Amino acid sequence: GSGQGDAAGPLPNGRGTDTVTPFLDENFATHNKDIWKILSGDWAFEDQKLKLKTPGHFVTITTLANPPQDFQATVKYRTLTGGSIGSVGLFFDMVELKDAQAVYTSLGTGNSAVQAFHRRNGAEVYPAAGSVPASVKVNEDTTLEITARGQELKIWLNGELKLTYAMPTPRQPGRFALWCHAGVAEFTSLKIVPFEVSVEELRLALRTAESDAALAAKSIEVARADAVAIAARIAAEVKKYVAWPPSADGGQATAASRAERLATLAKAELEALRAEQQLDNIPFEISNLKSPISNPKSEEARKAAEAKLIAARAAVEAAKTNAAIEDTTYTPFGPTYPTTSTGRRLALANWVTDKDNPLTARVAVNHIWKRHFGSALVPSVANFGLNGKPPTHPALLDWLAVEFMESGWNLKHLHRLIVTSATYRRASGVEGFGLRVEGQTATSPLTLNPQPSTQSDPDNRFYWRANTRRMEAEVVRDTLWWLTNGLDRTFSGQELEPSAADTTPRRSLYIRITPDDQATMLELFDGPSAAECFERTDSIMPQQALALANSQLALTQSRLLARELSRATTGTAPTSDADFIRSAFERVLSRSPQPDELAKTEAFLQRQAATLADPTKLTRTPTGLNSTVPPSTDPKQRARENLIHVLLNYHEFVTIR
């Protein structure tokens, strides 16, 4: 019958079990209902065997008690005919058939195997790492042995270790069960023994812990030596490159050299300790093998470990000798560059700017001309070669390039030459043709004098008038600040976040531009591309008008400028609206108002003042659009603020004529 206490034979790891009391030692002579419970299927205790007579789906019989968490189990059985798959296996850590760890053998369709899997919430998971081929045959005795220790599972089949497997799901207390799936079998014995740790294993664990502690202590020593060396090297670098006057010595370099050598010695000692422990651990690792002396891999491992230890000890001795040397050499932070130039960059720069290489001057002149006139002498700005478009004025391009080089590549001279020319100073309308400026000569290449015609030259290729164009994005924003003399013209400094564009008076040149982050106003008015710098494209979109109408900057500057112009005449307020209007036009649009414009704007101011003074007529009060300057409480002054805001939204404000 069922018993607990019979002597067991050797377990799979070679240890005897004479002193170990089995959890279960079963020969299936009778059905002991205090031990076994049939969960499903046609099970019978007959002829000193446990038999399943009818195949089914995971037909199961289970123990009523839970085995130890760590155990060794040996089950002997024979797979019989009568099923299509012929799986015979066991569950452990089983909870209500929903959760369990499992091991089984299967016949399949000729390809037998042994498999470990797990069940969670009633669903089976079969990891590929848990399956290995095995020889299982019908009507032949099979011995399946397993050890479950923590998350490690080892499986033997007929005395041969088939699989060492890490169970992927956490262990839990549960029952032990035998089962068959799509097949029938008869079981002859089952033995479950608690897995007890041997004295040898305890000694090995203690030795491993001591080794780990020694390595950890030495690693801390290495880290501290490394920290000291890094601090010493930083001090030496500061003395060498930051302190004034610079010096390569002064004690810091010597200290850095010594600290770095001591850190190298500590690292060598750590590697030697690690090599010693690896060699010492080899006998313990191979003691579990059946024939350690005849195992060639173990002998190779020992020889390799001995060679590694010899090399590590030699490295320690070399590091000790090196640490005794006193000098000022240490590993610098980052690359070290020569103190003298090779001259290659200067040679390249000289070649680029040589007069025999006029391409550089021609390209520079073309870019500068485009920014002053709105169109380039060579239309294909990005392709200044044979594949690009020819220049519209080749003689002028050459003359300006020569003038630029002969002036010593003086950009101010080139700008002054262009903006003081008669060609640049023409008006944008037809009436601008023939405008001559005192001091200009007719022979100057910049005094272009073709016959004007809107029909023959609608694109103004011959510059018989000035091109009308919109301000660049930076000019639009900077002009808003300039209107109240608030633009910060300070040179250099840190770049600014795009979000600060409406609140800082710094020039737009210093606002950071990236493909993903740009100031809204600069982006809407076609600011520079982060990927291209040779040419800008002009666009017209409703958002540009909305930016001037709704931006915090435009509204704030409108109110500040209105206050300034209101005090410009008498110190308190102009005697008439006409004075304010003329000042506003001259400041914002750079011209005086026409008679009809003056009349219309005077009427606008009167209507606005009346509306703001009478709450019954006020349909909407523009409270500020997030402005940093509150609106005036005086209806007349409030009307003037609104007029400045209107002029900022007039197309002439952003137009260059």
Side-chain angles (χ1 to χ4, degrees), residues 217-418:
K218 194 63 181 178
S219 298
I220 293 174
E221 181 182 337
V222 169
R224 288 173 176 168
D226 242 348
V228 171
I230 291 173
R233 288 162 58 202
I234 291 175
E237 297 282 271
V238 170
K239 178 65 176 178
K240 186 176 181 181
Y241 297 109
V242 180
W244 188 263
S247 173
D249 205 348
Q252 287 83 358
T254 303
S257 176
R258 177 169 178 76
E260 187 174 21
R261 296 170 195 272
L262 290 176
T264 302
L265 174 59
K267 293 176 183 177
E269 291 174 345
L270 174 62
E271 293 304 317
L273 178 61
R274 185 176 285 116
E276 290 176 0
Q277 292 181 357
Q278 289 177 351
L279 179 60
D280 291 343
N281 287 338
I282 288 179
F284 291 90
E285 294 173 357
I286 68 174
S287 63
N288 290 334
L289 300 175
K290 295 181 179 180
S291 303
I293 298 178
S294 61
N295 193 324
K297 292 185 178 180
S298 300
E299 292 301 318
E300 292 177 3
R302 174 180 288 280
K303 291 179 180 179
E306 289 175 347
K308 185 176 181 180
L309 177 58
I310 293 173
R313 288 174 176 173
V316 171
E317 294 302 319
K320 288 181 179 178
T321 303
N322 201 29
I325 300 175
E326 293 289 341
D327 60 19
T328 60
T329 60
Y330 63 90
T331 304
F333 288 97
T336 302
Y337 299 101
T339 56
T340 58
S341 173
T342 61
R344 292 180 297 175
R345 288 179 296 176
L346 179 60
L348 175 61
N350 289 333
W351 176 82
V352 170
T353 57
D354 193 279
K355 289 186 177 180
D356 292 333
N357 179 33
L359 177 63
T360 304
R362 288 163 59 86
V363 171
V365 165
N366 195 53
H367 276 275
I368 293 172
W369 184 276
K370 174 177 173 58
R371 279 148 183 79
H372 282 304
F373 288 91
S375 60
L377 295 172
V378 178
S380 55
V381 178
N383 191 350
F384 202 88
L386 296 178
N387 292 330
K389 295 181 179 179
T392 57
H393 299 74
L396 174 62
L397 179 63
D398 292 343
W399 185 83
L400 287 173
V402 172
E403 182 73 18
F404 184 36
M405 290 187 291
E406 290 183 348
S407 69
W409 301 85
N410 191 321
L411 288 171
K412 287 186 177 180
H413 171 75
L414 182 62
H415 286 297
R416 186 180 298 110
L417 183 64
I418 292 176

Side-chain angles (χ1 to χ4, degrees), residues 76-80 88 138-142 184-187:
K76 297 182 179 180
Y77 59 92
R78 176 178 291 187
T79 304
L80 307 176
V88 179
V138 177
N139 292 322
E140 287 191 2
D141 292 334
T142 302
V184 294
E186 57 183 23
F187 297 84

Side-chain angles (χ1 to χ4, degrees), residues 323-546:
I325 300 175
E326 293 289 341
D327 60 19
T328 60
T329 60
Y330 63 90
T331 304
F333 288 97
T336 302
Y337 299 101
T339 56
T340 58
S341 173
T342 61
R344 292 180 297 175
R345 288 179 296 176
L346 179 60
L348 175 61
N350 289 333
W351 176 82
V352 170
T353 57
D354 193 279
K355 289 186 177 180
D356 292 333
N357 179 33
L359 177 63
T360 304
R362 288 163 59 86
V363 171
V365 165
N366 195 53
H367 276 275
I368 293 172
W369 184 276
K370 174 177 173 58
R371 279 148 183 79
H372 282 304
F373 288 91
S375 60
L377 295 172
V378 178
S380 55
V381 178
N383 191 350
F384 202 88
L386 296 178
N387 292 330
K389 295 181 179 179
T392 57
H393 299 74
L396 174 62
L397 179 63
D398 292 343
W399 185 83
L400 287 173
V402 172
E403 182 73 18
F404 184 36
M405 290 187 291
E406 290 183 348
S407 69
W409 301 85
N410 191 321
L411 288 171
K412 287 186 177 180
H413 171 75
L414 182 62
H415 286 297
R416 186 180 298 110
L417 183 64
I418 292 176
V419 300
T420 58
S421 67
T423 302
Y424 179 79
R425 299 174 68 180
R426 296 186 190 280
S428 58
V430 177
E431 68 278 4
F433 171 71
L435 177 64
R436 303 301 297 271
V437 181
E438 189 69 25
Q440 293 291 333
T441 62
T443 58
S444 171
L446 285 175
T447 308
L448 305 177
N449 192 22
Q451 293 297 323
S453 172
T454 56
Q455 289 78 25
S456 61
D457 187 18
D459 296 329
N460 194 30
R461 294 177 64 248
F462 295 103
Y463 298 100
W464 56 274
R465 59 175 174 80
N467 289 318
T468 300
R469 62 189 187 279
R470 197 191 64 216
M471 291 178 180
E472 293 180 326
E474 295 91 340
V475 180
V476 173
R477 178 187 169 276
D478 291 355
T479 302
L480 288 173
W481 285 102
W482 172 85
L483 289 173
T484 58
N485 298 316
L487 181 64
D488 182 359
R489 301 190 181 187
T490 306
F491 287 103
S492 74
Q494 293 183 339
E495 66 177 6
L496 304 175
E497 294 292 332
S499 58
D502 287 345
T503 57
T504 178
R506 291 283 282 160
R507 295 166 61 199
S508 303
L509 176 68
Y510 299 104
I511 298 176
R512 187 180 71 244
I513 294 178
T514 66
D516 300 324
D517 193 11
Q518 300 182 38
T520 302
M521 181 169 291
L522 298 181
E523 183 179 9
L524 290 176
F525 283 95
D526 306 311
S529 169
E532 301 171 346
C533 61
F534 49 83
E535 189 175 14
R536 296 193 190 183
T537 57
D538 292 335
S539 64
I540 299 176
M541 60 180 72
Q543 290 85 348
Q544 293 169 348
L546 293 174

